[in-house]
Amino acid sequence: MVTEATSPEFLAKLEARGVSRRSFMKLCGSLAVAAGLSELAAPRVAAAIENSVIGAESGKLFPVIWIEGASCTGCTESFAQGDAPDPAYIVLEMISLNYCETLSAAAGWSMEEAKEQTIEAGNYILIYEGAVLEGWDGQALRVANEPGTDILAHAAKNANAVVALGSCAVNGGWMAAHPNSANALGVQGFLKKQGIDTPVINIPGCPANPEWVTSVLVDVLLVGQLPELTSENKPKVTFNQTVHDNCQRRGHFENGEFVYAFGTPEEAAGYCLYPMGCRGPMVKANCGIVRWNRRRSWCVESGGPCIGCCVANPDNPGENWVETNTPFRARFRDLRIGGAMVQPEAIAWTVTGILAAALVVHGFGMKKAGRTDGGAPFEKEREWDMKHPNESIGIYTLDDNSKGGN
């Protein structure tokens, strides 16, 4: 059994790129954890990389195609700013990134040719970032005289798997928010409509954490199979628990200690941000474990409530994190009435105001009709009883003038 990467050729390649053996093994441990394995599996990760990926005599670099849809390129930027030693740098040397509009050195005709040759050869992974735009016949994302929708369908048919990277790629994200004039949707939904059954791995987030992407690549390269997925085709090891489950402020939640306004002693004490609109209890992601910026911090730790950027239903473009969670600093989501966006609190206060006004008007009416002075006049004997004395329900007594009430 290989316990560590010791090949002189392999170490030389790392050193040529400014990466020490110690740093590389540290990276392998991080990748093992990101893939749901123990840090003790780091030697296995290193061996898999050495023997099967980087320049082994009997192996090849695993080909990857990275296509940009309707995106801000934030997921690419996130991936390229990974932990040290730079995962993006190592992984881009581990795999053969044959096509990427942002990271490829080539451009124009030569890059399009490389993509087509990769598709024809097969046995590659397709990473798609951004929303799919069906509007305008896919012409909004036209590249090299080909509609964006055709580009995705063509690249997905031959792929081993498609990684929908970021919430926009999962279900349209920002682009699919109302009124969605571009008819944006996610990769999985688009491929289903096209009858393409290539497996899709959904990695939501805005942007997606770089370790989430790396963990999928490790699963494919090390384990040789796709990661275990949830019912929404999201990696289970990453998206099987809520943000709240692993939040360091959860103890304050259990104790009923909350922040109700920024700049207060409660905020300084690190109390729970649930009243400030935190979506942690409703959103599934391991942000509190993996964290960001070389595991230094993450949204809630930095003082901001979770805005639920990992909410993305691949089967419903309308159930995206923007539609579901805005406004981000309010406890309730907006409700759409026609073209207007209204908070439930506003509706409740409006209804309360209408009822209060109606009661006031009713009171004035009662006063004007004299029904508040001595009470309203009531009949002393029911008319039906007067007409049917033998079947009368009430019991009446006679007085000097007429029958009186019981």
Side-chain angles (χ1 to χ4, degrees):
M1 176 180 176
V2 178
T3 58
E4 57 183 25
T6 56
S7 166
E9 295 81 8
F10 177 68
L11 294 177
K13 290 183 179 182
L14 292 178
E15 292 175 1
R17 295 172 173 82
V19 180
S20 67
R21 176 185 174 280
R22 181 177 180 180
S23 296
F24 176 72
M25 294 304 296
K26 180 181 177 181
L27 170 64
C28 290
S30 298
L31 296 182
V33 172
L37 305 173
S38 165
E39 286 190 4
L40 298 177
R44 292 173 54 202
V45 175
I49 294 173
E50 178 182 3
N51 297 330
S52 304
V53 184
I54 300 185
E57 293 181 359
S58 59
K60 296 181 179 179
L61 299 178
F62 198 92
V64 172
I65 296 176
W66 191 311
I67 295 178
E68 293 285 343
S71 74
C72 65
T73 322
C75 291
T76 300
E77 292 290 344
S78 173
F79 182 68
Q81 301 298 324
D83 201 354
D86 185 6
Y89 189 79
I90 297 296
V91 170
L92 292 176
E93 297 295 338
M94 286 168 23
I95 63 177
S96 177
L97 188 59
N98 293 356
Y99 182 91
C100 179
E101 290 102 325
T102 307
L103 301 176
S104 292
W109 183 86
S110 60
M111 192 165 76
E112 293 299 321
E113 182 185 38
K115 180 180 71 173
E116 188 59 34
Q117 290 174 347
T118 304
I119 293 174
E120 291 179 359
N123 192 34
Y124 61 90
I125 291 178
L126 170 62
I127 297 178
Y128 191 92
E129 177 183 357
V132 184
L133 303 187
E134 288 189 313
W136 312 292
D137 298 323
Q139 303 297 336
L141 299 175
R142 190 177 183 86
V143 177
N145 295 323
E146 189 176 2
T149 48
D150 292 350
I151 293 173
L152 172 57
H154 178 56
K157 285 180 181 178
N158 247 15
N160 292 358
V162 180
V163 177
L165 183 58
S167 291
C168 289
V170 174
N171 79 336
W174 283 95
M175 295 296 298
H178 181 79
N180 193 8
S181 57
N183 291 331
L185 73 166
V187 173
Q188 179 176 312
F190 173 76
L191 296 183
K192 186 180 296 184
K193 292 173 66 174
Q194 296 295 314
I196 300 173
D197 58 359
T198 303
V200 177
I201 304 171
N202 291 312
I203 304 179
C206 190
N209 193 298
E211 294 199 32
W212 299 343
V213 188
T214 305
S215 68
V216 172
L217 294 176
V218 168
D219 272 331
V220 173
L221 299 176
L222 172 63
V223 183
Q225 63 184 26
L226 301 181
E228 185 180 2
L229 304 177
T230 68
S231 59
E232 293 186 340
N233 281 11
K234 299 173 183 177
K236 183 172 289 188
V237 68
T238 301
F239 302 101
N240 67 334
Q241 291 183 309
T242 66
V243 172
H244 179 72
D245 288 334
N246 300 295
C247 179
Q248 64 257 47
R249 297 178 187 244
R250 182 174 175 178
H252 293 297
F253 178 90
E254 305 291 348
N255 293 334
E257 299 168 338
F258 299 102
V259 176
Y260 294 97
F262 290 116
T264 60
E266 290 78 12
E267 182 194 7
Y271 283 3
C272 178
L273 296 168
Y274 184 79
M276 303 302 295
C278 184
R279 301 308 198 265
M282 291 78 74
V283 179
K284 289 188 176 182
N286 65 357
C287 302
I289 298 175
V290 176
R291 306 166 84 189
W292 290 79
N293 300 324
R294 301 183 180 183
R295 300 195 177 191
R296 284 192 175 91
S297 183
W298 63 292
C299 303
V300 175
E301 186 173 356
S302 68
C306 169
I307 60 175
C309 71
C310 287
V311 172
N313 182 350
D315 297 317
N316 182 6
E319 195 175 329
N320 59 73
W321 68 284
V322 181
E323 290 283 330
T324 302
N325 297 334
T326 50
F328 298 132
R329 294 297 183 264
R331 181 61 264 159
F332 303 105
R333 62 174 294 187
D334 280 337
L335 299 178
R336 181 175 290 107
I337 301 177
M341 300 294 287
V342 185
Q343 273 275 296
E345 289 178 296
I347 297 176
W349 281 112
T350 301
V351 172
T352 301
I354 293 174
L355 290 176
L359 289 173
V360 170
V361 172
H362 178 69
F364 281 117
M366 291 281 288
K367 180 70 175 177
K368 186 174 182 180
R371 301 186 68 182
T372 59
D373 299 327
F378 293 100
E379 57 182 354
K380 295 182 178 180
E381 182 178 351
R382 291 201 325 160
E383 184 178 353
W384 191 92
D385 289 348
M386 294 175 63
K387 293 179 179 180
H388 307 83
N390 297 329
E391 302 177 39
S392 171
I393 297 177
I395 300 175
Y396 304 93
T397 59
L398 295 174
D399 57 22
D400 294 337
N401 299 316
S402 63
K403 295 182 178 180
N406 184 22

